[in-house]
Amino acid sequence: MASIDRFPENADGQEGVPDCQIFAEEFSRPARLTILAASGLAGAVGGVALAGAADSTAAVWGTLGVAAVAGGVLSTWSPCGYSSISLLRPTGRGAKAVAEWLPTFAMHGAGYALGALILGTALGALGAILGFAGFGTVALVLLALVGLIYGAHQLDFLRVPYPQRRAQVPHDARVRFSKPVVGGLYGLALGLDYMTYVQTPLLYLVTAAAVLTGNIPEAIALIALFNIGRFLPVAVTALPVNDYQIQGWLARNQERAAMADGAILVALGAALAVAALA
């Protein structure tokens, strides 16, 4: 009778698989309080710099742009982020496999671009209808509130609504379509941002900023920056590493990503509040 392979045992003699033996650890309350205070202080200092900039509007745009890209990268820590890494990867190893995978990567990016165009147009048009026209004092105060409230939420000090469509792109699409088509469909669904679950509340701040521009091209630009951050991490699948190694690393750093998310939101909220009131 053939022997049955067993999972390797860990140090405690329990069975498990290598990428599931180490899980993310939660941050203690004192650690989270430290992150909250430090990010708030750093943000306030940044707000003074924003208020004193020669072109404060450009400085605010630059700050929001960097935050948008960071939010996109942090959205990798979501079910669809994990799924994309395993689904949209080269078939095999080596230069030939990567070359054959490039159309999938390109179609994925095109899907994100189309998603940014659709969502950005809708948000910019909504802002124009509501009469918003850029990042004046009122707009900065509103964005500051979004950052501070959702930053406290992400650091687990506050519970606020987290509107999301808690769904994933249909995983069985890979057996119905070619990989480039699947890459494009994934990119479009994820590029619309609210069609699937996204962990980072930075999406809400970027959404609010897009509406407050009251300008369709500017709103598209903000969503596009967020989507660039979502798109680029898939490039790591071209490296000679297994998808379970990447997913294991993501899982071990899940809590760190959440804390980074909260810190960025609090710092951004504090910066915009100081800039608005200075």
Side-chain angles (χ1 to χ4, degrees):
M1 182 175 181
S3 62
I4 300 175
D5 292 333
R6 294 171 56 87
F7 288 121
E9 294 185 350
N10 59 23
D12 298 324
Q14 298 176 326
E15 292 183 3
V17 293
D19 61 317
C20 295
Q21 291 178 356
I22 302 175
F23 294 93
E25 294 183 2
E26 293 186 3
F27 281 62
S28 66
R29 183 177 178 85
R32 288 182 284 112
L33 281 169
T34 300
I35 294 171
L36 178 69
S39 55
L41 179 60
V45 172
V48 173
L50 283 178
D55 188 343
S56 58
T57 299
V60 169
W61 262 100
T63 302
L64 290 174
V66 171
V69 175
V73 172
L74 287 167
S75 74
T76 306
W77 279 269
S78 67
C80 282
Y82 283 81
S83 180
S84 295
I85 287 169
S86 64
L87 182 60
L88 303 177
R89 62 181 295 106
T91 302
R93 296 285 184 90
K96 184 175 183 294
V98 172
E100 292 174 346
W101 165 81
L102 288 177
T104 298
F105 187 61
M107 285 290 290
H108 193 51
Y112 271 116
L114 181 57
L117 183 64
I118 296 170
L119 180 59
T121 298
L123 296 175
L126 176 62
I129 292 170
L130 294 175
F132 296 118
F135 303 130
T137 300
V138 173
L140 292 181
V141 170
L142 290 174
L143 291 175
L145 288 173
V146 172
L148 292 171
I149 290 171
Y150 277 99
H153 167 94
Q154 197 72 342
L155 293 172
D156 203 23
F157 290 111
L158 188 65
R159 280 288 171 262
V160 289
Y162 198 96
Q164 289 282 328
R165 183 173 181 266
R166 296 181 179 274
Q168 284 186 264
V169 178
H171 204 67
D172 65 345
R174 62 181 175 176
V175 301
R176 290 185 282 167
F177 305 105
S178 66
K179 186 171 283 189
V181 172
V182 173
L185 292 174
Y186 254 61
L188 176 58
L190 299 181
L192 290 169
D193 294 317
Y194 286 93
M195 293 296 292
T196 60
Y197 177 76
V198 179
Q199 174 175 288
T200 171
L202 271 162
L203 172 60
Y204 301 142
L205 191 143
V206 173
T207 298
V211 172
L212 290 169
T213 64
N215 180 287
I216 290 176
E218 292 179 354
I220 292 173
L222 280 167
I223 300 301
L225 287 169
F226 185 87
N227 283 359
I228 287 171
R230 296 200 77 181
F231 164 62
L232 289 178
V234 177
V236 76
T237 60
L239 299 176
V241 290
N242 295 321
D243 55 348
Y244 71 82
Q245 291 175 312
I246 302 171
Q247 292 171 335
W249 182 87
L250 288 172
R252 291 190 294 273
N253 289 279
Q254 185 87 30
E255 285 297 317
R256 293 186 181 92
M259 294 301 101
D261 199 345
I264 292 171
L265 280 161
V266 170
L268 190 56
L272 294 176
V274 169
L277 302 175

